[in-house]
């Protein structure tokens, strides 16, 4: 499967860019998914680092807008975005539900691969979504992996368990409370390596 686009959601950015003059303006508050820190975005003595940090900095530099970042779980960012307490959130997939309250940039922030992780020794063939029927799949709370997976979830064919953080998802996988964990491959691999549990977990070759 092709990597899914991850796009930045921005409410009010274009309005601000068009209506604000050269006078001083308030900085926009942009939320970033803390589960992707530090695999894609982190702070150090040199400032903001990481591929997403560079893209976001470049975007705001060209827009001549000031901003500051806040880091929270994705589900919380979506609530804040709906409530208007933050001006934007990233990175997230484009979904019909989110289009109801968010404006998407035309160009994706970048591309991501989502994979299925299992306990080593509990791997299973995965060539199509039907291979997940009857299985309990863990995801991060608020994530939308794919429209097809959402459909099978609502049809009761795939059981989805949501967890607040990547750590909780991995703990559930390790203790066999879920059969598999679906999420951002690079970010999860980073967390697995950091925790030193790579010998216990593997990911299936086909992206979801």
């Amino acid at each position: 499967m092709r990597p899914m686009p991850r796009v930045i959601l921005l409410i009010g950015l274009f309005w601000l860019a068009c209506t604000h003059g050269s006078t001083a303006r308030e900085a926009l508050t942009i939320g970033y998914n803390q589960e992707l820190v530090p695999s894609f975005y982190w702070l150090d003595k040199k400032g903001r680092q990481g591929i997403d940090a560079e893209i976001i900095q470049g975007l705001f530099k060209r827009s001549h807008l000031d901003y500051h970042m806040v880091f929270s779980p994705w589900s919380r960012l979506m609530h804040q975005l709906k409530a208007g307490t933050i001006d934007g959130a990233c990175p997230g997939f484009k979904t019909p539900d989110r289009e109801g309250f968010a404006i998407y940039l035309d160009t994706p922030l970048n591309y991501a691969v989502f994979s299925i992780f299992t306990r080593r020794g509990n791997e299973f063939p995965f060539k199509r979504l039907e291979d997940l029927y009857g299985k309990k799949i863990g995801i991060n709370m608020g994530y939308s992996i794919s429209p097809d997976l959402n459909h099978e979830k609502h049809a009761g064919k795939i059981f989805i368990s949501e967890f607040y953080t990547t750590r909780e998802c991995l703990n559930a996988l390790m203790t066999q409370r879920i059969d598999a964990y679906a999420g951002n491959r690079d970010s999860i691999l980073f967390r697995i390596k950091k925790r030193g549990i790579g010998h216990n977990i593997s990911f299936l070759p086909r992206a979801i």
Side-chain angles (χ1 to χ4, degrees):
M1 293 184 181
R2 293 178 56 193
M4 291 286 289
R6 299 194 294 133
V7 296
I8 186 170
L9 317 178
L10 289 176
I11 289 183
L13 172 59
F14 301 110
W15 178 83
L16 285 166
C18 294
T19 61
H20 281 222
S22 58
T23 57
R25 65 194 68 163
E26 292 185 5
L28 297 178
T29 300
I30 305 300
Y32 190 84
N33 184 358
Q34 72 176 23
E35 296 306 305
L36 300 181
V37 179
S39 48
F40 293 97
Y41 195 118
W42 70 94
L43 300 174
D44 61 18
K45 294 180 180 179
K46 297 180 181 179
R48 300 180 178 94
Q49 303 292 319
I51 183 171
D52 283 359
E54 294 175 7
I55 294 171
I56 293 168
Q57 287 182 83
L59 169 68
F60 279 91
K61 183 177 181 180
R62 292 185 180 187
S63 302
H64 304 290
L65 294 169
D66 296 323
Y67 73 101
H68 71 271
M69 303 294 294
V70 294
F71 301 91
S72 296
W74 186 248
S75 58
R76 184 185 301 168
L77 292 178
M78 290 298 94
H79 287 304
Q80 291 175 320
L81 197 58
K82 283 183 178 180
T85 57
I86 60 175
D87 299 296
C90 62
F93 292 156
K94 191 173 185 177
T95 69
D97 176 65
R98 294 171 187 168
E99 286 183 289
F101 61 86
I103 298 170
Y104 285 79
L105 296 186
D106 293 332
T107 303
L109 176 62
N110 58 35
Y111 291 85
V113 175
F114 271 49
S115 294
I116 296 285
F117 289 79
T118 69
R119 280 182 58 87
R120 195 171 297 276
N122 290 348
E123 297 89 347
F124 52 84
F126 175 59
K127 295 183 179 180
R128 53 185 183 172
L129 278 180
E130 286 82 351
D131 294 327
L132 300 180
Y133 282 6
K135 297 187 182 300
K136 185 180 289 186
I137 309 298
I139 66 171
N140 288 73
M141 189 175 293
Y143 276 26
S144 178
I145 305 297
S146 75
D148 291 339
L149 182 63
N150 290 338
H151 175 77
E152 301 297 354
K153 168 191 172 182
H154 293 304
K157 296 179 179 179
I158 299 174
F159 305 103
I160 301 295
S161 294
E162 292 188 273
F163 298 89
Y164 207 50
T165 66
T166 300
R167 171 174 285 276
E168 291 176 358
C169 286
L170 289 173
N171 288 344
L173 184 61
M174 294 286 288
T175 55
Q176 302 186 59
R177 287 181 286 145
I178 55 176
D179 299 305
Y181 172 26
N184 183 294
R185 186 177 66 190
D186 293 336
S187 177
I188 295 171
L189 285 174
F190 180 92
R191 302 278 178 167
I192 288 172
K193 182 178 180 180
K194 187 175 181 179
R195 290 182 59 177
I197 56 176
H199 59 288
N200 291 324
I201 297 177
S202 61
F203 67 90
L204 305 182
R206 185 178 179 85
I208 188 169

